[in-house]
Amino acid sequence: MARIVAGVATSHVPAIGAALDNGKTQEPYWQRVFAGYEESKKWIAEVKPDVCIVVFNDHATAFSVDIVPTFALGCAAEFAPADEGWGPRPVPTVHGHPELAAHIAQSVILDEFDLTIVNNMEVDHGLTVPLSLMFGQPEEWPCKIIPLAVNVVLFPPPTGKRCFDLGAAIRRAVDSYPEDLKVVIFGTGGMSHQISGPRAGLINSDFDKAFLDGMSHDPQKIIKLKHVEYMREAGAEGIEMVMWLVMRGALDEHVHERYRFYTVPASNTAVGHLILENEGLAAAAE
Ligand code: DHB
Ligand code: FE
């Protein structure tokens, strides 16, 4: 049986990718950020997932404003790193898992969540930066990746509750896949940040830390947050945090918080990171 064993949440700041790609990780500013992922890299190397489902947002890269799907599941065999204006990042091509992705699409859509099926998509920093933070700079990514793109760029994004409920439907889909596969789900983006307008540079650590607590201990509280509350408290781009709730909805009601990291800032963004384990994995580790 396929099983979701854990969830990873992490910010996806593009400058983190640029720091890695340009050999700046030892500069004090960046060292502070990368040091927070050392434990996580060891953790994921030990867990050795077969597949990671990466919930991310496309930043008007693969999808122009011509077509903006709310939830788009990558069902292709490969996803190339996108050129966001400086050439594609020098990272490996992402290899998908078309069979599991097709199964998830079928299960989730018949479960009344109307996903868009995507058979051709380049992936931008929203997906590649979290992979770099968790896996470093390998020749090939060490597992299959199923991208799930969520619209948080054009109003209205889905609500936090809708994201959480979709996560639960993804869990049911994975649980009903017959092959033995160890699956980790990533929720990416966030934390508080605003990159344009009069409030550019806004960071709200109190809000972020309460959100991290909610992810671990009280998801029912944070799924009630309204768009306007994310905007007001966490900045215009803080809405990216609804993607963390897809991940949370795919986990057990009670999870083991394996790891937490928070630092301010990286570029314009507060960097938050969590590893949450389902009971089975936490028990196996004891
Ligand atoms: C920044 C953060 C983002 O989430 C993004 O998509 C682009 C830029 C930033 O902090 O610079
Ligand atoms: Fe972003």
Side-chain angles (χ1 to χ4, degrees):
M1 301 290 218
R3 284 288 172 262
I4 295 180
V5 296
V8 171
T10 178
S11 307
H12 67 207
V13 188
I16 292 178
L20 264 165
D21 302 342
N22 295 301
K24 296 193 171 165
T25 56
Q26 293 314 310
E27 291 182 2
Y29 182 92
W30 290 113
Q31 213 281 332
R32 166 183 54 86
V33 175
F34 290 107
Y37 289 83
E38 285 306 316
E39 283 294 308
S40 318
K41 287 199 283 188
K42 282 188 212 141
W43 174 86
I44 206 153
E46 274 168 30
V47 172
K48 287 198 190 67
D50 300 299
V51 182
C52 289
I53 299 171
V54 180
V55 184
F56 78 111
N57 73 291
D58 178 72
H59 298 75
T61 308
F63 306 119
S64 73
V65 287
D66 288 350
I67 298 179
V68 182
T70 301
F71 296 114
L73 188 71
C75 295
E78 286 189 0
F79 306 90
D83 183 350
E84 298 180 62
W86 299 270
R89 288 192 61 214
V91 292
T93 292
V94 169
H95 292 280
H97 196 304
E99 298 80 12
L100 177 58
H103 171 83
I104 293 173
Q106 179 167 324
S107 172
V108 164
I109 292 169
L110 296 180
D111 213 359
E112 302 179 344
F113 287 85
D114 306 320
L115 297 182
T116 299
I117 293 166
V118 182
N119 292 317
N120 185 9
M121 171 168 70
E122 293 186 346
V123 286
D124 73 9
H125 68 271
L127 183 127
T128 63
V129 168
L131 293 186
S132 296
L133 284 168
M134 292 302 292
F135 295 117
Q137 294 172 292
E139 289 285 307
E140 291 291 338
W141 300 121
C143 62
K144 302 287 171 70
I145 312 285
I146 298 179
L148 173 62
V150 179
N151 167 39
V152 292
V153 167
L154 193 68
F155 191 84
T159 63
K161 179 171 184 304
R162 185 68 174 162
C163 289
F164 186 87
D165 291 346
L166 174 62
I170 291 171
R171 170 89 182 256
R172 291 191 286 276
V174 171
D175 280 349
S176 64
Y177 191 71
E179 191 185 338
D180 277 337
L181 291 176
K182 203 189 270 187
V183 180
V184 170
I185 181 164
F186 285 36
T188 70
M191 296 200 89
S192 57
H193 64 303
Q194 172 142 348
I195 54 180
S196 61
R199 296 205 307 162
L202 177 146
I203 281 177
N204 182 347
S205 297
D206 290 341
F207 177 90
D208 290 338
K209 288 176 181 169
F211 195 87
L212 292 169
D213 289 343
M215 285 289 293
S216 276
H217 309 300
D218 198 359
Q220 293 302 326
K221 182 170 164 197
I222 55 174
I223 67 174
K224 295 195 185 76
L225 286 165
K226 304 281 181 232
H227 290 134
V228 67
E229 294 174 281
Y230 284 100
M231 291 278 288
R232 189 177 60 225
E233 299 297 329
E237 278 73 36
I239 190 65
E240 289 181 345
M241 277 181 267
V242 295
M243 297 185 288
W244 294 28
L245 294 172
V246 181
M247 175 273 265
R248 188 63 186 86
L251 301 182
D252 292 345
E253 187 181 345
H254 297 289
V255 292
H256 171 65
E257 183 180 313
R258 174 65 189 252
Y259 185 66
R260 179 188 294 214
F261 175 62
Y262 183 80
T263 189
V264 170
S267 186
N268 288 304
T269 304
V271 171
H273 172 41
L274 278 176
I275 297 176
L276 303 176
E277 292 178 345
N278 271 342
E279 279 157 8
L281 185 67
E286 274 161 16

